[in-house]
Amino acid sequence: DAGAGRRSIAWPIRRRGRAGPAALAVGAALAGLAFMSCGRDTRSFTAPASRPPQLPATSLRAQAVAGAPLVASSTQANTDASFSERKAALKKRMAEEYKSFFRPFRGESYGSDMTFRDPLISTKGKDTYQWMIEMLAGSNFVGSQLFSDGFLDLHAIEEVPEDEYKMRTRWTAGLKFKMVPWTPTIYFTGISEYTLDANAQVLGQRDYWDTVNLVDDGRYATEPIFSGYGDMAEQMTPPFMRKGAEPPMVSSGEWTLLRRAHKYRVYRARDGTVFALGHPDAASADVGEISRALRKHGLSPGNRLRVQMSGSGAVEVDEVDVDGDASARKKPTRSWPPARDNGEMETVPGLELLRPHPWDGSNAPPETD
């Protein structure tokens, strides 16, 4: 509201008494979730919203909805070709922002009254959005006290079928939370859906997380209340209390984390192999269970793998066996690099993902300098 100033961030938390250290830690961690909102986009994954986003009266689409003739004013004289060009330029700027973690923030990409929402917070106004991003990136004083080592990996920029005024990004975000002694690294994966105006500026951004919004067939739905807080709190738990942490190959760069789903994880190995493991708390889960979870989200499991859970994180084909049917098992066809189970290296079962899938490169972001 007007009295709240320009930096109004709606935090759905009720204050009761004086906040203790744990509450402060969770509150700051929630800001980390906001960092997921740092621009992303998604694609063939329908993300239903409670109501369609409202476009400003200056957009051609809004005029059409209002019944006005589609006559562009001098300020919106965009042909289809020029809109496409502006949208392509926006995609390139976003790719640069993700790569640099919004250093610098490209304000020309966003409308002054843009909105943002994710499973934790909602904001309104470009200035508020920029402040939030700079905090998460550690670029302002508050952020430098709370976070470090932040990154934002952009996996894909996707068009939304039948709606040229929308686009999606698919991403992985991570940052280290400094306000507790064990300095946990917090990860998020998901998509961002952007709503654009006729000049290809961002009017709204809605982020969806794989851990709380992903539903059947790979669609994204509105999150259950407080589910975002639960995901954040779980990752901030002290190591001796955590159910499962990401394998060390993620922090070392041997693997790239692509999806954190409720029952499984998706990674990319250095050679480009995209594969799934069970949740870190049950990484040795039966491949049949992993296969069913993947299929539920519209993914196609392929070769059964043996995955080394230390060192270089070696991945090798174990059996050509998609559904756990012993009669279908064959000898391995290839390996990268050989995962030797010599009693010293722990191996767990995994499944290779068959194309097409969201990380197959078909919607790769534009090249940046």
Side-chain angles (χ1 to χ4, degrees):
D1 58 51
R6 300 179 72 178
R7 292 179 182 167
S8 65
I9 301 181
W11 301 87
I13 270 187
R14 181 176 298 173
R15 298 178 181 173
R16 302 182 65 181
R18 182 172 298 177
L24 293 175
V26 172
L30 301 181
L33 299 175
F35 125 79
M36 308 275 298
S37 60
C38 302
R40 347 216 180 254
D41 137 353
T42 73
R43 189 188 118 116
S44 58
F45 298 66
T46 304
S50 56
R51 60 184 180 190
Q54 300 296 311
L55 297 179
T58 56
S59 80
L60 298 178
R61 180 176 292 267
Q63 293 182 28
V65 172
L70 289 177
V71 178
S73 68
S74 60
T75 61
Q76 59 181 173
N78 293 326
T79 63
D80 290 341
S82 65
F83 176 78
S84 299
E85 291 169 359
R86 294 186 185 198
K87 191 174 182 180
L90 172 65
K91 291 179 179 179
K92 185 169 183 179
R93 289 195 300 272
M94 283 192 169
E96 292 169 348
E97 285 185 313
Y98 283 33
K99 184 177 181 180
S100 67
F101 207 159
F102 294 85
R103 297 182 179 95
F105 177 78
R106 303 293 296 273
E108 67 270 28
S109 299
Y110 307 91
S112 59
D113 293 323
M114 69 161 293
T115 61
F116 168 80
R117 180 184 171 189
D118 73 1
L120 283 177
I121 67 172
S122 62
T123 71
K124 183 175 182 180
K126 179 168 66 176
D127 291 344
T128 303
Y129 181 75
Q130 180 178 356
W131 185 88
M132 177 185 69
I133 287 175
E134 291 176 347
M135 176 189 65
L136 294 166
S139 301
N140 59 28
F141 176 76
V142 174
S144 67
Q145 304 305 303
L146 295 175
F147 307 113
S148 67
D149 302 324
F151 70 89
L152 185 57
D153 290 339
L154 178 61
H155 307 306
I157 301 182
E158 308 164 344
E159 293 292 333
V160 174
E162 302 180 358
D163 194 340
E164 64 177 339
Y165 288 89
K166 285 189 177 181
M167 68 180 199
R168 302 189 189 120
T169 56
R170 188 176 302 275
W171 41 262
T172 298
L175 74 173
K176 188 170 290 185
F177 182 57
K178 298 165 56 176
M179 295 296 288
V180 291
W182 54 93
T183 60
T185 299
I186 303 167
Y187 296 99
F188 305 97
T189 67
I191 65 171
S192 295
E193 183 164 283
Y194 296 94
T195 301
L196 312 179
D197 66 10
N199 293 311
Q201 278 193 321
V202 175
L203 297 175
Q205 177 183 331
R206 176 56 157 106
D207 283 8
Y208 298 90
W209 302 349
D210 292 327
T211 43
V212 300
N213 298 109
L214 188 60
V215 296
D216 293 357
D217 300 322
R219 296 176 298 109
Y220 289 85
T222 302
E223 63 277 350
I225 189 170
F226 300 134
S227 57
Y229 298 97
D231 184 44
M232 171 71 84
E234 179 183 346
Q235 296 193 71
M236 295 181 64
T237 304
F240 66 90
M241 296 177 61
R242 287 196 65 177
K243 294 181 179 179
E246 293 300 328
M249 288 72 71
V250 173
S251 58
S252 70
E254 296 292 338
W255 298 352
T256 299
L257 175 63
L258 301 176
R259 171 174 284 178
R260 295 178 63 247
H262 183 61
K263 291 187 177 181
Y264 64 90
R265 300 288 190 262
V266 176
Y267 305 96
R268 180 186 287 114
R270 279 190 179 273
D271 75 334
T273 301
V274 176
F275 63 98
L277 300 178
H279 185 282
D281 187 35
S284 59
D286 180 81
V287 291
E289 181 179 350
I290 302 172
S291 176
R292 288 188 292 274
L294 292 171
R295 292 181 186 278
K296 181 178 180 181
H297 290 157
L299 301 174
S300 299
N303 292 335
R304 177 171 172 162
L305 307 173
R306 279 196 306 148
V307 181
Q308 193 178 90
M309 297 302 289
S310 58
S312 64
V315 179
E316 83 169 344
V317 174
D318 185 22
E319 298 163 345
V320 182
D321 173 16
V322 175
D323 298 309
D325 180 4
S327 64
R329 294 177 182 175
K330 301 178 182 179
K331 294 181 179 180
T333 56
R334 64 175 178 79
S335 63
W336 171 87
R340 293 182 175 84
D341 188 1
N342 57 10
E344 298 178 0
M345 298 292 187
E346 177 191 5
T347 61
V348 299
L351 289 170
E352 187 174 6
L353 294 191
L354 300 178
R355 294 170 179 259
H357 55 68
W359 311 279
D360 60 15
S362 59
N363 293 290
E367 295 290 333
T368 60
D369 296 333

